[in-house]
Amino acid sequence: MRSDGPQVLIVEDDEDVRTMLQLALTSHGYRAAGVRNGNEALAFLATHLRPALAIVDLMMPDMSGEDLVRRVKTDDALAELPIVLFSGHSMLPRMAETLHVAGYLSKPVDLDRLLGMVARHAGRSGGEPERPFTPE
């Protein structure tokens, strides 16, 4: 399926989870770019057009999701980027509130909640999926 919808940046250190999120989003018409950590996310944001939304894992090596969010929010060019935190950590709701992000998704991800969150913050995708996404 060709994905011409809004771009979503996925910042997730677990390759399997990152790939699953990318497949889910592209199968629903979004363009999804994935990076492994906060440093790669900052490099991506410095060299590409700003995505419509970033989904950021809270617990990552090198630079935590919390640190990444704080860096993005202090950059005038990126401060308005909607960010959704993504984690299995019990402090996720409190961290999302403290960091004033657009929302949060708990691991393991619920596909309907993921798509609803992305549609709400990145805009609806440009079409229906060729086939329903089912994780393996």
Side-chain angles (χ1 to χ4, degrees):
M1 171 176 199
R2 185 172 170 196
S3 299
D4 292 329
Q7 183 172 54
V8 177
L9 176 62
I10 301 162
V11 187
E12 167 63 61
D13 59 319
D14 184 309
E15 183 177 359
D16 292 337
V17 173
R18 188 174 62 247
T19 299
M20 183 272 304
L21 291 173
Q22 286 178 271
L23 288 171
L25 294 175
T26 58
S27 73
H28 284 79
Y30 294 97
R31 292 177 295 126
V35 296
R36 296 177 297 183
N37 57 52
N39 290 321
E40 287 184 11
L42 291 174
F44 179 94
L45 292 168
T47 59
H48 293 80
L49 292 177
R50 191 181 94 178
L53 174 70
I55 298 174
V56 176
D57 184 16
L58 188 58
M59 309 286 282
M60 295 181 292
D62 300 326
M63 181 188 298
S64 71
E66 177 182 359
D67 290 340
L68 175 60
V69 170
R70 291 185 192 287
R71 296 264 310 261
V72 166
K73 290 197 172 282
T74 60
D75 184 320
D76 290 340
L78 299 172
E80 298 301 317
L81 172 66
I83 297 174
V84 171
L85 288 180
F86 182 59
S87 181
H89 196 283
S90 62
M91 293 297 291
L92 180 62
R94 177 174 283 239
M95 290 300 299
E97 182 179 341
T98 300
L99 294 171
H100 304 289
V101 294
Y104 65 89
L105 294 166
S106 297
K107 291 180 181 178
V109 70
D110 174 271
L111 181 61
D112 289 334
R113 184 158 158 69
L114 168 69
L115 294 173
M117 185 77 67
V118 172
R120 183 169 40 257
H121 297 291
R124 291 229 171 254
S125 65
E128 295 297 316
E130 289 179 339
R131 60 179 172 69
F133 174 79
T134 53
E136 306 214 3

